[in-house]
């Protein structure tokens, strides 16, 4: 996957060299609470997993954001979207969601869900997602 947009943006798969830049973006956005889940080693595992979808946004040879989630054979779920603070509000997040949607549909997904925070729910509503009466629960150590 390598698609150029009008914003000098390329969307592509994860490369190991992306790790440090993507970790820095997560840290700047307050999304790096668990290195075991979001860190470089986790990114490598996600990229190697057939069920995972990990799309990186690149501008001028630098990773500037990514989206990751899964397709379980019937539905897709976005776990994380992050964009470098200096690149936010340039429709890159929307473009990553569109790329994720296309990839999910290509694999056979008929629906798309997303885990959100109160802070990000407005963005997701603008993307056409509806609030569901469910809870996400976590068991950190298994």
């Amino acid at each position: 996957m390598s698609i150029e947009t009008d914003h000098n943006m390329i969307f592509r798969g994860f490369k190991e060299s992306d790790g440090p830049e993507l970790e820095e973006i997560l840290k700047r956005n307050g999304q790096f609470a668990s290195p075991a889940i979001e860190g470089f080693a986790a990114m490598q595992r996600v990229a190697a997993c057939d069920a995972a979808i990990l799309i990186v946004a690149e501008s001028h040879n630098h990773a500037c954001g990514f989206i990751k989630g899964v397709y379980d054979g019937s539905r897709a779920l976005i776990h994380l979207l992050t964009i470098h603070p200096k690149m936010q509000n340039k429709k890159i997040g929307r473009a990553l969601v569109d790329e994720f949607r296309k990839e999910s549909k290509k694999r056979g997904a008929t629906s798309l869900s997303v885990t959100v925070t109160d802070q990000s729910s407005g963005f997701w509503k603008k993307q056409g997602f509806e609030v569901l009466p469910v809870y996400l629960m976590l068991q950190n150590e298994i």
Side-chain angles (χ1 to χ4, degrees):
M1 153 187 359
S2 182
I3 302 162
E4 288 202 50
T5 68
D6 296 339
H7 304 289
N8 232 357
M9 193 69 45
I10 296 171
F11 298 99
R12 58 167 174 76
F14 174 80
K15 296 188 288 191
E16 293 209 6
S17 59
D18 296 329
E21 286 181 313
L22 296 180
E23 278 190 354
E24 181 60 28
I25 293 167
L26 289 167
K27 289 174 186 173
R28 287 177 178 234
N29 288 332
Q31 295 173 297
F32 198 69
S34 179
I37 295 172
E38 306 303 345
F40 177 58
M43 291 177 205
Q44 290 174 304
R45 290 190 306 273
V46 170
C49 177
D50 290 339
I53 300 171
L54 176 55
I55 303 169
V56 175
E58 177 186 300
S59 178
H60 300 98
N61 297 317
H62 291 282
C64 61
F66 71 99
I67 190 168
K68 75 172 182 173
V70 295
Y71 167 61
D72 71 4
S74 64
R75 61 186 167 199
L77 172 64
I78 297 170
H79 288 296
L80 178 67
L81 169 66
T82 194
I83 308 296
H84 192 286
K86 291 182 179 179
M87 299 296 287
Q88 292 176 5
N89 300 311
K90 297 178 188 253
K91 301 185 179 177
I92 298 166
R94 175 183 290 263
L96 278 168
V97 172
D98 287 344
E99 291 301 316
F100 192 96
R101 187 179 287 114
K102 287 178 198 172
E103 179 61 24
S104 298
K105 190 172 182 176
K106 184 174 95 177
R107 292 184 187 200
T110 58
S111 70
L112 179 58
S113 303
V114 60
T115 55
V116 304
T117 63
D118 286 338
Q119 294 170 316
S120 68
S121 64
F123 169 83
W124 293 103
K125 287 177 184 174
K126 288 178 185 174
Q127 307 312 307
F129 289 84
E130 300 173 23
V131 176
L132 298 176
V134 297
Y135 296 95
L136 176 65
M137 299 176 78
L138 173 67
Q139 185 176 32
N140 226 356
E141 294 182 31
I142 58 171

